[in-house]
Amino acid sequence: MSEERHQFVLTVNGTSHPVALPARRLLSDALRHDLGLTGTHVGCEHGVCGACTVLVDGRPVRSCLIFAVSAQDAEITTVEGLTNSDGTLGPVQQAFLECHGLQCGFCTPGFLTTIAAGIRANPSPTHEEARDMVAGNLCRCTGYQNIVKAVERAAELARTGTHADAPEAPEPESGQLEYEDRDDDNASTGLGA
């Protein structure tokens, strides 16, 4: 027995996508599997970790907790939609790069969308407000210090309306390995060739 499908339109990153989906399809699954926007990650599938966070009408929402059909009249922004109109990194993305705000990167899309909404609501967060802004997202790698620095830097970049060109490879801090410029698929896993 096949499941009944409902036809509707999802507006994601400014583009309308006609879809025919079962009523119980989660927004996270629709984004990843039906629209091919795999930047939205699914971690806990219980709304706890924040990896699946997207913006729905500008507000952060755990996409694993809502049905896609319920988002049919909303503007959805995924991590792919955070870049500037000219294709350069948006302020939050640039700040994460500059401040080394990620390691494995799995939680990063949820942090980026959460922070984008946070600095829109509070363009000049204090250090404590920056910490509170990311408190609902889980990261198992970074210890959050550089993520909080990235919030503060993103707010600065957003306020000034500037975006830097891609920076040179950063100098390694004490105890860090040197930056290796690789563009093959194995570079993201750290496993090498």
Side-chain angles (χ1 to χ4, degrees):
M1 182 170 146
S2 67
E3 202 168 358
E4 180 184 356
R5 293 182 171 265
H6 301 271
Q7 294 188 354
F8 58 99
V9 175
L10 285 175
T11 303
V12 184
N13 302 326
T15 302
S16 296
H17 301 273
V19 293
L21 302 173
R24 66 187 187 132
R25 173 91 70 197
L26 296 174
L27 180 57
S28 57
D29 292 335
L31 293 170
R32 290 182 58 77
H33 304 295
D34 299 302
L35 300 183
L37 297 169
T38 57
T40 301
H41 293 166
V42 178
C44 67
E45 297 186 86
H46 297 296
V48 175
C49 72
C52 70
T53 304
V54 298
L55 303 180
V56 177
D57 292 332
R59 298 182 63 206
V61 170
R62 309 290 202 209
S63 64
C64 75
L65 293 181
I66 68 169
F67 296 119
V69 70
S70 68
Q72 67 181 312
D73 294 322
E75 174 60 43
I76 302 162
T77 305
T78 66
V79 67
E80 291 93 344
L82 296 180
T83 57
N84 292 317
S85 58
D86 64 0
T88 59
L89 297 177
V92 180
Q93 296 164 316
Q94 183 67 39
F96 259 65
L97 176 66
E98 290 178 17
C99 297
H100 310 287
L102 66 119
Q103 285 185 25
C104 82
F106 190 82
C107 64
T108 303
F111 273 106
L112 295 176
T113 53
T114 298
I115 295 166
I119 62 174
R120 196 172 308 120
N122 181 0
S124 299
T126 65
H127 185 73
E128 283 301 313
E129 290 168 335
R131 287 182 57 176
D132 287 346
M133 195 179 291
V134 298
N137 290 59
L138 299 178
C139 175
R140 297 180 69 157
C141 300
T142 67
Y144 298 93
Q145 291 179 10
N146 288 346
I147 294 173
V148 174
K149 288 178 189 175
V151 172
E152 295 166 338
R153 177 66 176 139
E156 178 185 341
L157 290 170
R159 281 192 311 271
T160 61
T162 61
H163 62 276
D165 293 326
E168 295 294 318
E171 291 297 319
E173 294 178 20
S174 177
Q176 280 186 324
L177 298 175
E178 285 191 40
Y179 175 78
E180 184 177 350
D181 186 15
R182 296 181 56 194
D183 61 3
D184 61 62
D185 287 338
N186 293 324
S188 64
T189 65
L191 298 176

